[in-house]
Amino acid sequence: MKYTRIPHTDIRISKICLGTMTWGRQNMEDEAHEQMDYALDQGVNFFDTAELYPIPAKKELYAVTEELIGNWFKKTGNRDRVVLASKIAGRAEFTKFIRTTGFTRDSIIEAVEGSLKRLQTDYIDLYQLHWPERNTNYFGQRGYNAHAIDVWEDNIHQVLETLRDLVAEGKIRHVGLSNETPWGTMRFLEESKVHQSLPRMLTIQNPYNLLNRLFEVGLSEISMREKIGLLAYSPLGFGTLSGKYLTEIPPRKARVTLFPNYSRYSGETAVEATKKYAELAKEHGLSMAQMALAFVNTRPFVTSNIIGATSMEQLKENIESIEVNLSDEVLEGIEAIHKAIPNPAP
């Protein structure tokens, strides 16, 4: 395994992060525990979860993923071997069953307390805002066109004050963003620069893969100049970059098959690009999934690459991507495809 550090800290984390969003829906508890056992044995010490998981969100399954992780901590005693990240859900139609969502002081405290209880731990190493409260372009929205209907009032200072108090209490160690834009990222960073008692956002968890490299447009410079590390999620684009959906009959238990509304990486242009990446991998004798993951692993702004798997076979292949070195010829081929079909998935 290769390791990095959470920026501005001495916390050493694996370059591969174990994602957990299928646990409790596509994967049952024994499978989740098997994945954690294996990942830890392979040197993966960074796990990412969220109060909303598993997804798609469902009232009856709210926060089950955190419970499964908590049960594993209790069973194995491995809490001190894991750097644990979780997230508070933002305001949305599909989160109304949770509580009065939004990042009010009471809501943040309630969310943290709930996660700590379910995870059976006294602290969370990295606590993230799952997506912005304000209307903006995230979750596949390519352009920003929500300003006229946005009723959000800037509460970033108050959010950071609440997070500061939770850090002081020892309930969370550090904080990060998720699904955030360049404006939002800089707004949080500037607030903590001006008011130095407030905690600094250290990471940003956004989508990044061969079909969606939009992070490079504005956020990559912020990431590198401000040292706010990308935790890349969906590095395989809901599994499309494994090539498994290029068959005439889609795999029966795969995510996009089960939840066809997860079509972000399945548009006509995205499929065209996926076919080209599949051909490139085959030409160079590479697993398509490992080529896609290795590309993400080696980007200079990526702090950790969040993989997800529903089978042990997938998990092993994904973790092994850390040992894959892409030749200059492969990287040139990737850039040629990207130039011809740039960012087909938003």
Side-chain angles (χ1 to χ4, degrees):
M1 183 49 58
K2 296 176 182 176
Y3 296 89
T4 57
R5 294 187 188 277
I6 294 178
H8 306 278
T9 79
D10 60 357
I11 299 177
R12 184 172 177 263
I13 58 171
S14 48
K15 191 77 184 217
I16 298 290
C17 174
L18 182 62
T20 64
M21 71 179 184
T22 64
W23 299 353
R25 188 149 189 171
Q26 288 176 262
N27 294 101
M28 297 300 100
E29 184 163 19
D30 59 336
E31 295 172 315
H33 288 196
E34 184 182 15
Q35 287 196 29
M36 286 185 278
D37 288 338
Y38 180 80
L40 196 61
D41 285 345
Q42 299 305 305
V44 175
N45 73 335
F46 188 28
F47 296 0
D48 178 74
T49 191
E51 65 166 329
L52 191 62
Y53 294 168
I55 57 173
K58 189 176 182 181
K59 182 178 180 179
E60 295 79 7
L61 296 177
Y62 165 62
V64 165
T65 303
E66 288 189 326
E67 292 176 358
L68 301 187
I69 296 170
N71 292 342
W72 182 78
F73 283 148
K74 182 178 180 180
K75 179 178 76 172
T76 65
N78 280 333
R79 175 65 187 94
D80 62 347
R81 298 179 62 193
V82 172
V83 179
L84 179 65
S86 193
K87 313 178 198 73
I88 177 176
R91 183 181 289 115
E93 285 296 319
F94 57 86
T95 61
K96 286 184 175 179
F97 62 82
I98 296 178
R99 60 175 173 275
T100 305
T101 50
F103 302 147
T104 64
R105 181 177 181 84
D106 288 347
S107 183
I108 294 172
I109 291 172
E110 182 182 348
V112 169
E113 295 286 0
S115 288
L116 290 172
K117 182 177 180 180
R118 290 185 294 269
L119 291 163
Q120 301 190 50
T121 184
D122 296 326
Y123 67 98
I124 296 168
D125 295 284
L126 179 67
Y127 197 66
Q128 305 152 99
L129 309 180
H130 206 154
W131 62 89
E133 281 185 292
R134 64 191 192 281
N135 291 326
T136 188
N137 47 321
Y138 54 83
F139 290 148
Q141 300 175 57
R142 191 181 290 272
Y144 174 62
N145 55 11
H147 196 74
I149 60 172
D150 192 18
V151 296
W152 174 75
E153 294 184 7
D154 192 326
N155 64 344
I156 286 173
H157 187 93
Q158 289 75 27
V159 169
L160 288 173
E161 281 186 327
T162 304
L163 294 173
R164 176 197 63 198
D165 294 345
L166 289 163
V167 170
E169 293 176 29
K171 293 177 179 177
I172 59 177
R173 296 181 68 186
H174 300 287
V175 292
L177 299 168
S178 182
N179 295 294
E180 193 47 278
T181 66
W183 182 88
T185 303
M186 287 306 299
R187 179 70 186 82
F188 272 99
L189 291 175
E190 288 302 311
E191 193 69 22
S192 59
K193 286 180 183 178
V194 173
H195 304 279
Q196 295 185 7
S197 68
L198 299 179
R200 188 188 199 281
M201 293 297 182
L202 303 183
T203 56
I204 176 171
Q205 184 176 149
N206 275 29
Y208 184 72
N209 55 61
L210 291 175
L211 300 176
N212 178 350
R213 291 169 58 177
L214 291 170
F215 190 89
E216 295 174 7
V217 176
L219 278 165
S220 60
E221 182 178 10
I222 293 172
S223 174
M224 296 179 75
R225 292 191 185 277
E226 299 291 333
K227 295 182 172 55
I228 177 168
L230 172 62
L231 307 180
Y233 81 78
S234 286
L236 291 179
F238 297 156
T240 58
L241 286 166
S242 70
K244 64 185 177 183
Y245 297 109
L246 296 178
T247 57
E248 288 187 16
I249 301 175
R252 186 168 57 90
K253 294 183 179 181
R255 188 166 191 77
V256 177
T257 308
L258 293 171
F259 311 112
N261 59 312
Y262 278 63
S263 57
R264 184 172 178 176
Y265 300 99
S266 303
E268 183 177 342
T269 310
V271 171
E272 180 186 355
T274 301
K275 289 178 179 177
K276 291 184 179 298
Y277 287 121
E279 291 167 3
L280 179 66
K282 184 177 180 181
E283 179 184 343
H284 292 275
L286 293 168
S287 151
M288 185 183 177
Q290 289 191 341
M291 182 185 79
L293 292 170
F295 177 78
V296 175
N297 293 341
T298 55
R299 298 307 90 190
F301 43 79
V302 171
T303 292
S304 194
N305 185 2
I306 305 174
I307 61 165
T310 53
S311 72
M312 288 302 297
E313 182 182 5
Q314 291 171 346
L315 182 65
K316 292 173 183 178
E317 181 180 26
N318 291 353
I319 291 175
E320 288 169 1
S321 73
I322 198 65
E323 303 300 334
V324 175
N325 296 310
L326 301 180
S327 67
D328 290 343
E329 193 175 0
V330 171
L331 292 172
E332 288 166 6
I334 287 172
E335 290 306 315
I337 297 169
H338 179 60
K339 184 177 181 180
I341 312 175
N343 298 313

